Amino acid sequence: MATTFARLKLPDAIPWPPSGSKLLWTLVGALAVPLWATWPLLAALTTTSMPLFQYLAIIFATGALLLFALPASGTAVATGRKCGTGLRASRWLAAIMVAVGLLLSDVLFIIALRHIPAAEANLILYLWPVIVVILAAALGLAVLRRRHIGGVVIGLAGAALVIGGGGGDLSWIGAGLAAGGGLAWALFVVFRLWQGENAPDALSWGLALSAVIAFAIHLLLEDWVAPTPQALIGTALVGIAPLGLGNLAWDHGVRKGNRLLLATLAYATPLVSALFLIAAGLATPTLGLLGGAALIVTAGVIAAK
């Protein structure tokens, strides 16, 4: 027995997650669902505490600092991994797309919250997986089949029910802003799919670039408002949970795990977030909200199958 242990050579460090484990990367990507689901609740509680771009600069800076501190989010993961050549291997192009996709999506979503309730805005935002299927098919990254078209129709019907289910008084401006946020995020996801599973890791640099852009806009358009300790803690939680850890889990999962399964699981996010909002007393379980959520989730399952 002693001879056996003497011959056993242990590695200096055990890599986590193992780079070849597609199942484990899929599980990592699935963690994004509960993390993302906290975003509408935290946004509804914290976005009015300070000017918009000051708020965004703080959450993006928090997320960037968190990811830079995590070895799994930066160059440690990319070590020994071939990233290819050309635009698909450009870390800076990927960082720019992260910055534009996240910043534009969050700006539109937060402004939408000024016109429509958080639960409805989040459901409309979650048309993005259906948009991903359409854009991926248009770019030759996926084959558009009849079930995908059916998923699009059902998803739009669900969005219409969310908008009209409350008696027709939901703002079309708010709905359009939320849909625009979904489109911005879908463009980023399609770009990462185009880069492929060996794409360079650029989320931390993208968040840092988003923070710089948001802070520059804040200096040009807004006055600094000193946040209260409670507002600062809540804002930091946004940067840590949905923005930092949630997007990190999704970015790695969608590139290295089962993309179709993750695209399907992503549709659980608006349902979980709606439950969070209902539990917090910030949403009412109306027929339009629940029926629209069911249709949008169904659309995602069909489209991602």
Side-chain angles (χ1 to χ4, degrees), residues 254-290:
V254 78
R255 290 187 289 118
K256 304 167 189 175
N258 189 321
R259 301 175 184 179
L260 295 182
L261 178 58
L262 287 174
T264 304
L265 291 177
Y267 267 91
T269 309
L271 286 178
V272 177
S273 64
L275 293 176
F276 286 168
L277 288 163
I278 291 171
L282 298 178
T284 303
T286 63
L287 176 61
L289 178 64
L290 297 179

Side-chain angles (χ1 to χ4, degrees), residues 46-240:
T46 60
T47 53
T48 58
S49 60
M50 63 192 77
L52 172 59
F53 287 98
Q54 176 186 338
Y55 174 83
L56 290 171
I58 292 176
I59 65 172
F60 284 128
T62 303
L65 290 173
L66 173 68
L67 296 189
F68 279 125
L70 294 176
S73 67
T75 57
V77 175
T79 301
R81 178 155 57 84
K82 295 180 180 179
C83 295
T85 58
L87 291 178
R88 295 194 180 194
S90 172
R91 187 182 302 274
W92 285 110
L93 178 60
I96 292 172
M97 289 300 295
V98 170
V100 173
L102 282 176
L103 185 60
L104 185 57
S105 178
D106 286 352
V107 166
L108 293 176
F109 178 76
I110 292 173
I111 297 177
L113 294 181
R114 300 174 182 175
H115 299 273
I116 59 178
E120 283 80 355
N122 197 47
L123 283 171
I124 296 171
L125 178 77
Y126 264 83
L127 289 172
W128 71 259
V130 173
I131 300 174
V132 166
V133 171
I134 296 174
L135 294 177
L139 295 173
L141 300 175
V143 178
L144 188 63
R145 303 186 185 279
R146 284 184 294 178
R147 64 172 175 270
H148 298 142
I149 299 175
V152 172
V153 174
I154 294 173
L156 292 176
L161 186 57
V162 169
I163 294 171
D169 56 352
L170 197 67
S171 167
W172 282 96
I173 295 177
L177 289 168
L183 174 61
W185 179 251
L187 289 171
F188 162 69
V189 173
V190 170
F191 171 79
R192 290 302 262 174
L193 290 175
W194 171 74
Q195 282 195 307
E197 63 180 18
N198 290 325
D201 300 292
L203 188 57
S204 52
W205 286 107
L207 288 177
L209 182 58
S210 296
V212 171
I213 295 173
F215 187 67
I217 297 175
H218 163 69
L219 292 177
L220 289 173
L221 303 179
E222 301 169 342
D223 295 323
W224 177 266
V225 174
T228 65
Q230 296 85 349
L232 193 58
I233 292 173
T235 304
L237 285 176
V238 175
I240 293 170

